[in-house]
Amino acid sequence: MVTTAREPLGGTVDNALLALAGAVVAVTGTLLAPILSQRVLGRVQAEQFSREERVARAQWLRERQVVELETRRACYVTANAGYRRYRVELMNYLWLVHKDAVTAQGRAGLEEARHAMHASFAEAQMIASEAVLAQLDAMTRILSSAYNRTMRLEEGSPRPGQSFDEIHALLAGIEEQWQAMRGAMRDDLGVDPGAGPGVGPGVGPGPAGPAAVES
């Protein structure tokens, strides 16, 4: 009598379970694949957006710094030119007072330059660094003092220290303060002090004659 070998029942169950597990995994993978793909894609897109945002902000900051630097530079150029012109006009006017030759044209030129200087100072107060403002303020006080002394001299009521020679010496000796002001401007703009000659106060009048008016 021939006996047929039978597969153990336990093995059949195990195989069935394995097959079922495989099917479940396959189905689950199929169902989860779109969700996982969307999450991965979303994460990649978020990272890309974050990078683009950082790059855009860095670019905006660079452009803003360039604009602010150029604005300060234009302000400093205007202030430097305005103070320089006022000083020249003031020295010319002082000479006219000394020679008793004041004219309406001379007075108008002085007042126009004075107002232009004050306007440039007002603009600088909104833009300039604290270091530059301190130097501009010091220069303003010197020029204002020279102006007041010159007006008193013209009126014929000068106080001690308000003679022609003393006022002239005050204006002629302004070079040190001018260099400090110009240096503060250069430092704020990041300009190498040795990059070239800066704008100086110009040549003032001596007792022998009036100043050469600078352009």
Side-chain angles (χ1 to χ4, degrees):
M1 183 176 189
V2 180
T3 303
T4 303
R6 295 184 179 179
E7 185 178 349
L9 182 58
T12 302
V13 174
D14 290 342
N15 291 338
L17 290 175
L18 289 174
L20 178 60
V24 170
V25 170
V27 172
T28 303
T30 302
L31 294 175
L32 292 179
I35 299 176
L36 294 176
S37 298
Q38 289 178 356
R39 289 184 177 179
V40 172
L41 179 60
R43 185 161 54 248
V44 171
Q45 290 177 338
E47 291 176 354
Q48 182 179 359
F49 177 78
S50 180
R51 286 196 300 271
E52 292 175 351
E53 188 178 40
R54 290 195 298 270
V55 171
R57 178 169 179 77
Q59 179 66 21
W60 177 79
L61 288 174
R62 286 194 296 269
E63 292 175 354
R64 180 180 177 183
Q65 289 173 350
V66 170
V67 171
E68 290 178 350
L69 183 66
E70 187 58 31
T71 300
R72 291 202 310 277
R73 179 183 179 278
C75 173
Y76 293 167
V77 168
T78 300
N80 194 62
Y83 278 69
R84 179 178 179 177
R85 177 190 172 196
Y86 179 48
R87 175 179 179 269
V88 171
E89 290 290 348
L90 188 53
M91 296 186 83
N92 284 336
Y93 194 81
L94 175 64
W95 178 253
L96 293 176
V97 171
H98 180 62
K99 302 297 292 183
D100 195 20
V102 173
T103 63
Q105 182 180 1
R107 182 182 295 276
L110 174 63
E111 291 304 318
E112 181 183 351
R114 180 168 172 258
H115 292 154
M117 185 210 70
H118 284 305
S120 66
F121 182 57
E123 180 185 7
Q125 287 177 315
M126 301 294 104
I127 298 173
S129 68
E130 292 297 328
V132 172
L133 277 179
Q135 297 300 332
L136 285 173
D137 187 59
M139 181 67 75
T140 301
R141 288 198 302 270
I142 295 174
L143 293 176
S144 294
S145 175
Y147 175 85
N148 292 332
R149 295 181 188 189
T150 301
M151 294 301 104
R152 285 186 174 277
L153 182 64
E154 181 184 8
E155 293 169 357
S157 56
R159 295 175 180 175
Q162 296 181 351
S163 67
F164 166 79
D165 290 335
E166 288 166 322
I167 300 172
H168 174 266
L170 174 64
L171 289 170
I174 209 170
E175 175 65 24
E176 183 177 348
Q177 177 58 39
W178 209 286
Q179 290 179 351
M181 182 184 76
R182 188 173 57 213
M185 291 178 176
R186 284 176 170 270
D187 288 343
D188 188 48
L189 296 175
V191 178
D192 183 358
V199 180
V203 179
V213 177
E214 301 176 34
S215 59

